[in-house]
């Protein structure tokens, strides 16, 4: 989603504009499409940093805020599922 937003914001930039803005250091050009190079998943702190950068652009701020909130909920739910799974293992081991 973040790559799609970056693509929408930069799709009409020329290669010279991309290089001048510094995107060439962090992104690879694929026929005017901008894609993250690293491939690391974003965390809620990454979303916080993006939100600070785009606070004056509501069209970008709102979807990034949604993605951040979704990331937090996923983290909580996966944590709950992991804790439940671990507690089942402890219960089954107690019978031995």
């Amino acid at each position: 989603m973040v790559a799609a937003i970056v693509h929408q914001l930069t799709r009409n930039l020329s290669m010279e504009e991309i290089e001048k803005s510094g995107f060439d250091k962090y992104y690879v050009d694929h026929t005017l499409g901008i894609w993250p190079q690293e491939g690391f998943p974003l965390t809620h702190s990454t979303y916080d940093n993006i939100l600070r950068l785009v606070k004056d652009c509501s069209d970008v701020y709102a979807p990034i805020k949604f993605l951040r909130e979704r990331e937090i909920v996923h983290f909580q739910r996966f944590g709950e599922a992991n804790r439940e799974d671990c507690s089942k293992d402890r219960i089954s081991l107690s019978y031995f």
Side-chain angles (χ1 to χ4, degrees):
M1 291 295 293
V2 174
I5 291 170
V6 171
H7 172 71
Q8 290 173 359
L9 293 171
T10 60
R11 67 177 165 221
N12 294 323
L13 295 177
S14 68
M15 280 308 300
E16 291 79 21
E17 291 170 315
I18 290 172
E19 290 171 0
K20 185 178 177 183
S21 69
F23 280 120
D24 63 325
K25 296 175 187 165
Y26 305 101
Y27 295 88
V28 176
D29 177 66
H30 293 281
T31 64
L32 299 180
I34 306 295
W35 305 96
Q37 248 183 340
E38 295 297 325
F40 293 107
L42 298 178
T43 65
H44 71 280
S45 62
T46 305
Y47 288 114
D48 287 342
N49 292 336
I50 294 170
L51 288 170
R52 279 193 282 284
L53 291 171
V54 299
K55 63 184 172 196
D56 297 330
C57 184
S58 62
D59 290 343
V60 176
Y61 189 89
I64 296 296
K65 185 176 178 188
F66 169 79
L67 291 171
R68 179 189 178 277
E69 291 169 359
R70 187 182 69 170
E71 181 68 32
I72 291 170
V73 169
H74 284 164
F75 179 80
Q76 292 168 340
R77 296 301 174 259
F78 286 125
E80 289 171 5
N82 189 35
R83 284 189 298 276
E84 287 177 15
D85 190 49
C86 289
S87 67
K88 289 177 186 175
D89 288 342
R90 278 189 239 130
I91 292 169
S92 64
L93 290 174
S94 66
Y95 291 112
F96 293 105

